[in-house]
Structure formats: structure tokens, C-alpha cells
Amino acid sequence: MIRIAPSLLSANPLHVERDVLACQHAGADILHVDVMDGHFVPPITFGPALVQAIAGITTMPLDVHLMVTNPDHHIPQFAQAGAHWISVHAETCPHLHRTLESIKGHRCTAGVVLNPATPLEYAFEAAGAANFVLLMSVNPGYGGQAFITSFLRRCERLRTWLDAHGFSDVFIEVDGGIKIDNARSAADAGASVLVSGSGLFAGNLAENVAAMRAAVS
Ligand code: DX5
Ligand code: ZN
């Protein structure tokens, strides 16, 4: 089953409630929330207070993508705010297994994120502790960037490796540059959660979610 996760980063910051409910009514499966600290990536975005507010108005699970240099410090706050999934960048975690265990200890689904140039071996080593791997298909920090096509062979290689090593239950999420016209190739490569910001919010959200769903089913 392919799950579609609109990215809050592309919502109108003056109309967050309207846009979150629009995602829900459009049939989106998950809401992707990009947390940026102005350090690991240049922009600053959302904090736990917004996650808590959104958790109070939607039934969609909240997928919190931490682009921060000290994720261990922030995990308890986001878990308490109502995050369902929390993912951390391997590039920011010197003690990755411990960090993933901390996420699960807060009763959240734990993901490890790899930038496009980070070797897949990090995911291989972390697979026993992670519930999912988020493969970036852009360098993190901004919406609306072009899809880096090397994602496709990385994703195929990761899916094959996970299945061959007893980690069939570890799922793959893709984030960055996913649009209606490349969603199918990402899914065929093994991604089962598709994050999309500008690809869904540009134009009519409900029509775009439906078109992406049709493209991958
Ligand atoms: C980028 C973020 C993405 C972003 C994707 O650093 O992690 O979640 O919202 O935006 P699009 O789909 O426009 O590339
Ligand atoms: Zn993201």
C-alpha cells in the first residue's frame, strides 16, 4: 500500500488549519511536518507548539521530520506534542541506535533519514533499530527543489537489501521533488510513503492527491 504524505512546508502559514483539513479531506494518509533549526539546514520552521495544535484538529498521523543538529534534545517534546512518527538524520546522530530507541521509547514510529549523498550503509547498520528509512531525494532545507534521480537506484538497492536481510517490515519513505508524474517511479523503486509539498499544494490539492493516488495504484 502506498501512503501519500503532504508536506506542511508548502501550506499557507496564515491558513494552517484550513490547509491541514484540506489535506485530510483530500484523503491524504499522513501529514509530513518539516522541523528545521536554522543550523543543520538554513531555514527555521515549526516547533512542538504547532505540532500539538495540529494534533488537536486532525486524525491524520503526524510525521515529524527533524532537520536539527541535536535531535535527542527535541524528541521528547515532539512526542509529547502528538507526533506519531519521528525521523532523524543519520548525519546528525553520533549514537544513532540510541536515538532511534529513544524515539520508540516515546511510543513513536522511528525513522532514520539519509541525505542524497550519505552512503546507504548507514541505513543497513540502523535497520534493526528503525521502523522506516526516509531517503531524501533533494538536499534538505527547501521545498520546490528538483528531484535527484540517483534516488531511484538507491531506493531499489535499499529495498532489495532490506528484504534480503530480514527487514521486510522496514518501510521506505521518499521526500523531495515528488510530483504526480514521478510518484510512480518512486513507488516502483520501493518507496511506500511519498512526501510531496509543492507537487500537491500547487493548484488544486484535492485533485492533486487524487491524481497522485491514481498514478501509484
Ligand atoms: C525538504 C523537506 C521536504 C519538502 C519537500 O527539506 O524535507 O519535506 O517539504 O517539498 P517538495 O515536495 O516541494 O520538494
Ligand atoms: Zn521533509
Side-chain angles (χ1 to χ4, degrees), residues 7 9 32-36 63 65 67 134 136 140 175-176 195:
S7 174
L9 193 62
H32 185 80
V33 181
D34 288 306
V35 175
M36 306 188 188
D63 168 27
H65 173 192
M67 286 161 275
L134 170 46
M136 295 303 301
D175 185 8
V195 176

Side-chain angles (χ1 to χ4, degrees), residues 40-96:
F40 178 61
V41 291
I44 296 174
T45 56
F46 316 124
L50 187 67
V51 168
Q52 186 170 4
I54 292 172
I57 61 157
T58 182
T59 55
M60 290 183 291
L62 303 182
D63 168 27
V64 172
H65 173 192
L66 293 180
M67 286 161 275
V68 304
T69 42
N70 186 4
D72 296 288
H73 178 75
H74 300 281
I75 287 163
Q77 300 174 64
F78 281 101
Q80 203 165 12
H84 296 80
W85 300 2
I86 297 179
S87 58
V88 292
H89 274 258
E91 301 86 4
T92 65
C93 293
H95 313 294
L96 183 53

Side-chain angles (χ1 to χ4, degrees), residues 28 39 74 80 84 89 104 115 137 155 178 186 200 204-205:
H39 190 210
H74 300 281
Q80 203 165 12
H84 296 80
H89 274 258
K104 292 187 289 185
N115 279 344
S137 39
C155 189
I178 295 294
L200 294 177
N204 184 303
L205 182 77

